[in-house]
CSV table of all heavy atoms in Angstrom, one decimal:
chain,number,residue,atom,x,y,z
X,1484,LEU,N,12.6,6.4,-13.4
X,1484,LEU,CA,11.2,6.5,-13.5
X,1484,LEU,C,10.6,7.7,-12.8
X,1484,LEU,O,9.7,8.4,-13.2
X,1484,LEU,CB,10.6,5.2,-13.0
X,1484,LEU,CG,11.0,3.9,-13.7
X,1484,LEU,CD1,10.3,2.7,-13.0
X,1484,LEU,CD2,10.5,4.0,-15.1
X,1485,LEU,N,11.2,8.0,-11.6
X,1485,LEU,CA,10.8,9.1,-10.8
X,1485,LEU,C,11.0,10.5,-11.5
X,1485,LEU,O,10.2,11.4,-11.4
X,1485,LEU,CB,11.5,9.2,-9.5
X,1485,LEU,CG,11.1,8.2,-8.4
X,1485,LEU,CD1,12.0,8.2,-7.2
X,1485,LEU,CD2,9.6,8.5,-8.0
X,1486,ALA,N,12.0,10.5,-12.4
X,1486,ALA,CA,12.4,11.8,-13.0
X,1486,ALA,C,11.3,12.2,-14.0
X,1486,ALA,O,11.2,13.4,-14.4
X,1486,ALA,CB,13.7,11.6,-13.8
X,1487,ARG,N,10.4,11.3,-14.4
X,1487,ARG,CA,9.2,11.6,-15.3
X,1487,ARG,C,8.2,12.5,-14.6
X,1487,ARG,O,7.4,13.2,-15.2
X,1487,ARG,CB,8.5,10.4,-15.8
X,1487,ARG,CG,9.4,9.4,-16.6
X,1487,ARG,CD,8.7,8.2,-16.9
X,1487,ARG,NE,9.5,7.2,-17.5
X,1487,ARG,CZ,9.1,5.9,-17.8
X,1487,ARG,NH1,7.9,5.5,-17.5
X,1487,ARG,NH2,9.9,5.1,-18.4
X,1488,ASN,N,8.3,12.5,-13.2
X,1488,ASN,CA,7.3,13.3,-12.4
X,1488,ASN,C,8.2,14.3,-11.6
X,1488,ASN,O,8.7,13.9,-10.5
X,1488,ASN,CB,6.5,12.4,-11.5
X,1488,ASN,CG,5.4,13.2,-10.8
X,1488,ASN,OD1,5.5,14.4,-10.6
X,1488,ASN,ND2,4.3,12.5,-10.6
X,1489,PRO,N,8.4,15.5,-12.1
X,1489,PRO,CA,9.3,16.5,-11.4
X,1489,PRO,C,9.0,16.7,-9.9
X,1489,PRO,O,9.9,16.8,-9.1
X,1489,PRO,CB,9.1,17.8,-12.2
X,1489,PRO,CG,8.6,17.4,-13.5
X,1489,PRO,CD,7.7,16.1,-13.3
X,1490,VAL,N,7.7,16.8,-9.6
X,1490,VAL,CA,7.3,17.1,-8.2
X,1490,VAL,C,7.7,15.9,-7.3
X,1490,VAL,O,8.4,16.1,-6.3
X,1490,VAL,CB,5.8,17.4,-8.1
X,1490,VAL,CG1,5.4,17.5,-6.6
X,1490,VAL,CG2,5.4,18.6,-8.8
X,1491,MET,N,7.3,14.7,-7.7
X,1491,MET,CA,7.7,13.6,-6.8
X,1491,MET,C,9.1,13.2,-6.8
X,1491,MET,O,9.7,12.7,-5.9
X,1491,MET,CB,6.8,12.3,-7.2
X,1491,MET,CG,5.3,12.6,-7.2
X,1491,MET,SD,4.7,13.4,-5.6
X,1491,MET,CE,5.3,12.3,-4.4
X,1492,PHE,N,9.8,13.6,-7.9
X,1492,PHE,CA,11.3,13.4,-8.0
X,1492,PHE,C,11.9,14.3,-6.9
X,1492,PHE,O,12.9,13.8,-6.2
X,1492,PHE,CB,11.8,13.7,-9.4
X,1492,PHE,CG,13.3,13.6,-9.5
X,1492,PHE,CD1,13.9,12.3,-9.5
X,1492,PHE,CD2,14.1,14.7,-9.6
X,1492,PHE,CE1,15.3,12.2,-9.7
X,1492,PHE,CE2,15.5,14.6,-9.7
X,1492,PHE,CZ,16.1,13.3,-9.7
X,1493,VAL,N,11.5,15.5,-6.8
X,1493,VAL,CA,12.0,16.4,-5.8
X,1493,VAL,C,11.8,15.9,-4.4
X,1493,VAL,O,12.6,16.0,-3.5
X,1493,VAL,CB,11.4,17.9,-6.0
X,1493,VAL,CG1,11.8,18.7,-4.8
X,1493,VAL,CG2,11.9,18.5,-7.3
X,1494,VAL,N,10.5,15.4,-4.2
X,1494,VAL,CA,10.2,14.8,-2.8
X,1494,VAL,C,11.1,13.7,-2.5
X,1494,VAL,O,11.6,13.5,-1.4
X,1494,VAL,CB,8.7,14.4,-2.8
X,1494,VAL,CG1,8.4,13.7,-1.5
X,1494,VAL,CG2,7.8,15.6,-3.0
X,1495,ALA,N,11.4,12.8,-3.5
X,1495,ALA,CA,12.3,11.7,-3.3
X,1495,ALA,C,13.7,12.1,-3.0
X,1495,ALA,O,14.4,11.6,-2.1
X,1495,ALA,CB,12.3,10.8,-4.5
X,1496,VAL,N,14.1,13.2,-3.6
X,1496,VAL,CA,15.5,13.7,-3.4
X,1496,VAL,C,15.6,14.2,-2.0
X,1496,VAL,O,16.6,13.9,-1.2
X,1496,VAL,CB,15.9,14.8,-4.4
X,1496,VAL,CG1,17.1,15.5,-4.0
X,1496,VAL,CG2,16.0,14.2,-5.8
X,1497,VAL,N,14.6,15.1,-1.5
X,1497,VAL,CA,14.7,15.6,-0.2
X,1497,VAL,C,14.5,14.5,0.9
X,1497,VAL,O,15.1,14.6,2.0
X,1497,VAL,CB,13.7,16.8,0.0
X,1497,VAL,CG1,14.1,17.9,-0.9
X,1497,VAL,CG2,12.3,16.3,-0.2
X,1498,SER,N,13.7,13.5,0.5
X,1498,SER,CA,13.6,12.4,1.5
X,1498,SER,C,14.9,11.6,1.7
X,1498,SER,O,15.3,11.3,2.8
X,1498,SER,CB,12.5,11.4,0.9
X,1498,SER,OG,11.3,12.0,0.8
X,1499,LEU,N,15.6,11.5,0.5
X,1499,LEU,CA,16.9,10.8,0.6
X,1499,LEU,C,17.9,11.7,1.4
X,1499,LEU,O,18.7,11.2,2.2
X,1499,LEU,CB,17.5,10.6,-0.8
X,1499,LEU,CG,18.8,9.9,-0.9
X,1499,LEU,CD1,18.7,8.5,-0.3
X,1499,LEU,CD2,19.2,9.8,-2.4
X,1500,LEU,N,17.8,13.0,1.2
X,1500,LEU,CA,18.7,13.9,1.9
X,1500,LEU,C,18.5,13.8,3.4
X,1500,LEU,O,19.4,13.7,4.2
X,1500,LEU,CB,18.5,15.3,1.5
X,1500,LEU,CG,19.2,16.5,2.3
X,1500,LEU,CD1,20.7,16.3,2.1
X,1500,LEU,CD2,18.7,17.8,1.8
X,1501,THR,N,17.2,13.9,3.9
X,1501,THR,CA,16.9,13.8,5.3
X,1501,THR,C,17.3,12.4,5.9
X,1501,THR,O,17.6,12.3,7.0
X,1501,THR,CB,15.4,14.1,5.5
X,1501,THR,OG1,14.6,13.3,4.7
X,1501,THR,CG2,15.1,15.6,5.2
X,1502,THR,N,17.2,11.4,5.1
X,1502,THR,CA,17.5,10.1,5.5
X,1502,THR,C,19.0,10.0,5.8
X,1502,THR,O,19.5,9.4,6.9
X,1502,THR,CB,17.2,9.0,4.5
X,1502,THR,OG1,15.8,9.0,4.2
X,1502,THR,CG2,17.5,7.6,4.9
X,1503,VAL,N,19.8,10.6,4.9
X,1503,VAL,CA,21.3,10.6,5.2
X,1503,VAL,C,21.6,11.4,6.4
X,1503,VAL,O,22.4,11.0,7.2
X,1503,VAL,CB,22.0,11.2,3.9
X,1503,VAL,CG1,23.5,11.5,4.2
X,1503,VAL,CG2,21.8,10.3,2.7
X,1504,LEU,N,20.9,12.6,6.6
X,1504,LEU,CA,21.2,13.4,7.8
X,1504,LEU,C,20.7,12.6,9.1
X,1504,LEU,O,21.4,12.7,10.1
X,1504,LEU,CB,20.4,14.7,7.7
X,1504,LEU,CG,20.9,15.7,6.6
X,1504,LEU,CD1,20.0,16.9,6.5
X,1504,LEU,CD2,22.4,16.0,6.8
X,1505,PHE,N,19.7,11.9,9.0
X,1505,PHE,CA,19.2,11.1,10.1
X,1505,PHE,C,20.2,10.0,10.5
X,1505,PHE,O,20.5,9.8,11.7
X,1505,PHE,CB,17.9,10.4,9.8
X,1505,PHE,CG,17.4,9.5,10.8
X,1505,PHE,CD1,16.8,9.9,12.0
X,1505,PHE,CD2,17.5,8.1,10.6
X,1505,PHE,CE1,16.4,9.0,13.0
X,1505,PHE,CE2,17.1,7.2,11.6
X,1505,PHE,CZ,16.5,7.6,12.8
X,1506,LEU,N,20.8,9.4,9.5
X,1506,LEU,CA,21.8,8.3,9.8
X,1506,LEU,C,23.0,9.0,10.4
X,1506,LEU,O,23.7,8.4,11.3
X,1506,LEU,CB,22.2,7.6,8.5
X,1506,LEU,CG,21.0,6.7,7.9
X,1506,LEU,CD1,21.5,6.2,6.5
X,1506,LEU,CD2,20.7,5.6,8.8
X,1507,ARG,N,23.4,10.2,10.0
X,1507,ARG,CA,24.5,10.9,10.6
X,1507,ARG,C,24.2,11.2,12.0
X,1507,ARG,O,25.1,10.9,12.9
X,1507,ARG,CB,24.7,12.2,9.8
X,1507,ARG,CG,26.0,13.0,10.3
X,1507,ARG,CD,25.9,14.4,9.9
X,1507,ARG,NE,24.7,15.1,10.6
X,1507,ARG,CZ,24.3,16.3,10.3
X,1507,ARG,NH1,25.0,17.1,9.5
X,1507,ARG,NH2,23.3,16.9,11.0
X,1508,ASP,N,23.0,11.7,12.3
X,1508,ASP,CA,22.6,12.0,13.7
X,1508,ASP,C,22.6,10.8,14.6
X,1508,ASP,O,22.9,10.8,15.8
X,1508,ASP,CB,21.3,12.8,13.7
X,1508,ASP,CG,21.4,14.2,13.1
X,1508,ASP,OD1,22.5,14.7,13.0
X,1508,ASP,OD2,20.3,14.7,12.8
X,1509,LEU,N,22.1,9.7,13.9
X,1509,LEU,CA,22.0,8.4,14.7
X,1509,LEU,C,23.4,8.0,15.1
X,1509,LEU,O,23.6,7.4,16.2
X,1509,LEU,CB,21.4,7.4,13.8
X,1509,LEU,CG,21.0,6.0,14.4
X,1509,LEU,CD1,20.0,6.2,15.6
X,1509,LEU,CD2,20.5,5.0,13.4
X,1510,LEU,N,24.4,8.2,14.3
X,1510,LEU,CA,25.8,7.8,14.6
X,1510,LEU,C,26.4,8.7,15.6
X,1510,LEU,O,27.2,8.3,16.5
X,1510,LEU,CB,26.6,7.7,13.3
X,1510,LEU,CG,26.2,6.6,12.3
X,1510,LEU,CD1,27.1,6.7,11.1
X,1510,LEU,CD2,26.4,5.2,13.0
X,1511,THR,N,26.1,10.0,15.5
X,1511,THR,CA,26.7,11.0,16.4
X,1511,THR,C,25.9,11.2,17.6
X,1511,THR,O,26.4,11.9,18.6
X,1511,THR,CB,26.9,12.3,15.6
X,1511,THR,OG1,25.6,12.8,15.2
X,1511,THR,CG2,27.8,12.1,14.4
X,1512,GLY,N,24.6,10.8,17.7
X,1512,GLY,CA,23.8,11.0,18.8
X,1512,GLY,C,23.2,12.3,18.9
X,1512,GLY,O,22.7,12.7,20.0
X,1513,GLY,N,23.2,13.1,17.9
X,1513,GLY,CA,22.6,14.4,17.9
X,1513,GLY,C,21.2,14.5,17.3
X,1513,GLY,O,20.7,13.5,16.7
X,1514,GLY,N,20.5,15.6,17.5
X,1514,GLY,CA,19.2,15.8,16.9
X,1514,GLY,C,18.0,15.1,17.6
X,1514,GLY,O,18.2,14.3,18.5
X,1515,GLN,N,16.8,15.4,17.2
X,1515,GLN,CA,15.6,14.8,17.7
X,1515,GLN,C,15.3,13.5,16.9
X,1515,GLN,O,14.6,13.6,15.9
X,1515,GLN,CB,14.4,15.8,17.7
X,1515,GLN,CG,14.6,17.0,18.6
X,1515,GLN,CD,13.5,18.0,18.4
X,1515,GLN,OE1,13.0,18.3,17.3
X,1515,GLN,NE2,13.0,18.5,19.6
X,1516,LEU,N,15.9,12.4,17.3
X,1516,LEU,CA,15.9,11.3,16.4
X,1516,LEU,C,14.5,10.7,16.2
X,1516,LEU,O,14.1,10.3,15.1
X,1516,LEU,CB,16.8,10.2,17.0
X,1516,LEU,CG,18.3,10.5,17.1
X,1516,LEU,CD1,19.1,9.4,17.7
X,1516,LEU,CD2,18.8,10.8,15.7
X,1517,GLY,N,13.7,10.6,17.3
X,1517,GLY,CA,12.3,10.1,17.1
X,1517,GLY,C,11.5,10.9,16.2
X,1517,GLY,O,10.8,10.4,15.4
X,1518,PHE,N,11.5,12.3,16.4
X,1518,PHE,CA,10.7,13.2,15.6
X,1518,PHE,C,11.2,13.1,14.1
X,1518,PHE,O,10.4,13.0,13.2
X,1518,PHE,CB,10.9,14.6,16.1
X,1518,PHE,CG,10.2,15.7,15.3
X,1518,PHE,CD1,8.9,15.7,15.1
X,1518,PHE,CD2,11.0,16.6,14.6
X,1518,PHE,CE1,8.3,16.7,14.4
X,1518,PHE,CE2,10.4,17.5,13.8
X,1518,PHE,CZ,9.1,17.6,13.7
X,1519,SER,N,12.5,13.1,13.9
X,1519,SER,CA,13.1,13.1,12.6
X,1519,SER,C,12.7,11.8,11.9
X,1519,SER,O,12.4,11.8,10.7
X,1519,SER,CB,14.6,13.2,12.6
X,1519,SER,OG,15.0,14.5,13.1
X,1520,PHE,N,12.8,10.7,12.6
X,1520,PHE,CA,12.5,9.4,12.0
X,1520,PHE,C,11.0,9.3,11.5
X,1520,PHE,O,10.7,8.9,10.4
X,1520,PHE,CB,12.7,8.2,13.0
X,1520,PHE,CG,12.3,6.9,12.5
X,1520,PHE,CD1,13.1,6.2,11.6
X,1520,PHE,CD2,11.1,6.3,12.9
X,1520,PHE,CE1,12.7,5.0,11.1
X,1520,PHE,CE2,10.7,5.1,12.4
X,1520,PHE,CZ,11.5,4.4,11.5
X,1521,GLN,N,10.1,9.9,12.3
X,1521,GLN,CA,8.7,9.9,11.9
X,1521,GLN,C,8.5,10.8,10.6
X,1521,GLN,O,7.7,10.4,9.7
X,1521,GLN,CB,7.8,10.4,13.0
X,1521,GLN,CG,7.8,9.4,14.2
X,1521,GLN,CD,6.9,10.0,15.3
X,1521,GLN,OE1,5.6,10.0,15.2
X,1521,GLN,NE2,7.5,10.4,16.4
X,1522,ILE,N,9.1,11.9,10.6
X,1522,ILE,CA,9.0,12.8,9.4
X,1522,ILE,C,9.5,12.1,8.2
X,1522,ILE,O,8.9,12.1,7.1
X,1522,ILE,CB,9.8,14.1,9.7
X,1522,ILE,CG1,9.1,14.9,10.8
X,1522,ILE,CG2,9.9,14.9,8.4
X,1522,ILE,CD1,7.8,15.5,10.4
X,1523,ILE,N,10.7,11.5,8.3
X,1523,ILE,CA,11.3,10.8,7.2
X,1523,ILE,C,10.5,9.6,6.7
X,1523,ILE,O,10.3,9.4,5.5
X,1523,ILE,CB,12.8,10.3,7.5
X,1523,ILE,CG1,13.7,11.5,7.8
X,1523,ILE,CG2,13.3,9.4,6.5
X,1523,ILE,CD1,15.0,11.1,8.4
X,1524,LEU,N,9.9,8.9,7.6
X,1524,LEU,CA,9.0,7.8,7.3
X,1524,LEU,C,7.9,8.2,6.4
X,1524,LEU,O,7.5,7.6,5.4
X,1524,LEU,CB,8.5,7.1,8.6
X,1524,LEU,CG,7.7,5.8,8.4
X,1524,LEU,CD1,8.6,4.7,7.8
X,1524,LEU,CD2,7.2,5.4,9.7
X,1525,TRP,N,7.2,9.3,6.8
X,1525,TRP,CA,6.1,9.8,6.1
X,1525,TRP,C,6.5,10.5,4.8
X,1525,TRP,O,5.7,10.5,3.8
X,1525,TRP,CB,5.2,10.8,7.0
X,1525,TRP,CG,4.4,10.0,8.0
X,1525,TRP,CD1,4.7,9.9,9.3
X,1525,TRP,CD2,3.3,9.2,7.7
X,1525,TRP,NE1,3.8,9.0,9.9
X,1525,TRP,CE2,2.9,8.7,9.0
X,1525,TRP,CE3,2.5,9.0,6.6
X,1525,TRP,CZ2,1.7,7.8,9.1
X,1525,TRP,CZ3,1.4,8.2,6.7
X,1525,TRP,CH2,1.0,7.6,7.9
X,1526,LEU,N,7.7,11.0,4.7
X,1526,LEU,CA,8.1,11.6,3.4
X,1526,LEU,C,8.2,10.4,2.4
X,1526,LEU,O,7.8,10.6,1.3
X,1526,LEU,CB,9.5,12.2,3.6
X,1526,LEU,CG,9.5,13.6,4.3
X,1526,LEU,CD1,11.0,14.1,4.6
X,1526,LEU,CD2,8.7,14.6,3.5
X,1527,TRP,N,8.8,9.3,2.8
X,1527,TRP,CA,8.9,8.2,1.9
X,1527,TRP,C,7.6,7.6,1.6
X,1527,TRP,O,7.3,7.1,0.5
X,1527,TRP,CB,9.8,7.1,2.5
X,1527,TRP,CG,11.3,7.4,2.4
X,1527,TRP,CD1,12.2,7.7,3.4
X,1527,TRP,CD2,12.0,7.5,1.2
X,1527,TRP,NE1,13.4,7.9,2.9
X,1527,TRP,CE2,13.4,7.8,1.5
X,1527,TRP,CE3,11.7,7.4,-0.2
X,1527,TRP,CZ2,14.4,8.0,0.6
X,1527,TRP,CZ3,12.7,7.6,-1.1
X,1527,TRP,CH2,14.0,7.9,-0.8
X,1528,PHE,N,6.6,7.6,2.6
X,1528,PHE,CA,5.3,7.2,2.3
X,1528,PHE,C,4.6,8.0,1.2
X,1528,PHE,O,3.9,7.5,0.4
X,1528,PHE,CB,4.4,7.2,3.6
X,1528,PHE,CG,4.6,6.0,4.4
X,1528,PHE,CD1,4.3,6.0,5.8
X,1528,PHE,CD2,4.9,4.8,3.9
X,1528,PHE,CE1,4.4,4.9,6.6
X,1528,PHE,CE2,5.0,3.6,4.7
X,1528,PHE,CZ,4.8,3.7,6.0
X,1529,THR,N,4.9,9.3,1.3
X,1529,THR,CA,4.3,10.2,0.3
X,1529,THR,C,4.8,9.8,-1.1
X,1529,THR,O,4.0,9.8,-2.1
X,1529,THR,CB,4.8,11.7,0.5
X,1529,THR,OG1,4.4,12.1,1.8
X,1529,THR,CG2,4.2,12.6,-0.5
X,1530,VAL,N,6.1,9.5,-1.3
X,1530,VAL,CA,6.6,9.1,-2.6
X,1530,VAL,C,6.0,7.7,-3.0
X,1530,VAL,O,5.5,7.5,-4.1
X,1530,VAL,CB,8.1,9.0,-2.6
X,1530,VAL,CG1,8.6,8.5,-3.9
X,1530,VAL,CG2,8.7,10.3,-2.2
X,1531,LEU,N,5.9,6.8,-2.0
X,1531,LEU,CA,5.4,5.5,-2.3
X,1531,LEU,C,3.9,5.5,-2.6
X,1531,LEU,O,3.4,4.8,-3.5
X,1531,LEU,CB,5.6,4.5,-1.1
X,1531,LEU,CG,7.1,4.1,-0.9
X,1531,LEU,CD1,7.2,3.4,0.4
X,1531,LEU,CD2,7.5,3.2,-2.1
């Protein structure tokens, strides 16, 4: 369904990418987790 809207499909793809990277950092303990989490949250809100 998302593929019907190219712009929002791209937003969903990059949201998924950052989510995967966040989970990686969460397991390894690297990165600014709090800042990244808030960005990812609002990225998914944009799609929703």
Side-chain angles (χ1 to χ4, degrees):
L1484 299 178
L1485 283 174
R1487 299 175 186 174
N1488 188 330
V1490 175
M1491 301 316 299
F1492 179 73
V1493 170
V1494 176
V1496 169
V1497 296
S1498 300
L1499 182 61
L1500 171 64
T1501 52
T1502 302
V1503 171
L1504 294 177
F1505 172 77
L1506 293 175
R1507 183 202 65 184
D1508 292 342
L1509 185 63
L1510 293 174
T1511 60
Q1515 297 177 313
L1516 295 179
F1518 175 69
S1519 297
F1520 176 75
Q1521 292 181 72
I1522 293 292
I1523 293 168
L1524 186 65
W1525 285 102
L1526 286 174
W1527 282 114
F1528 275 154
T1529 303
V1530 179
L1531 288 171

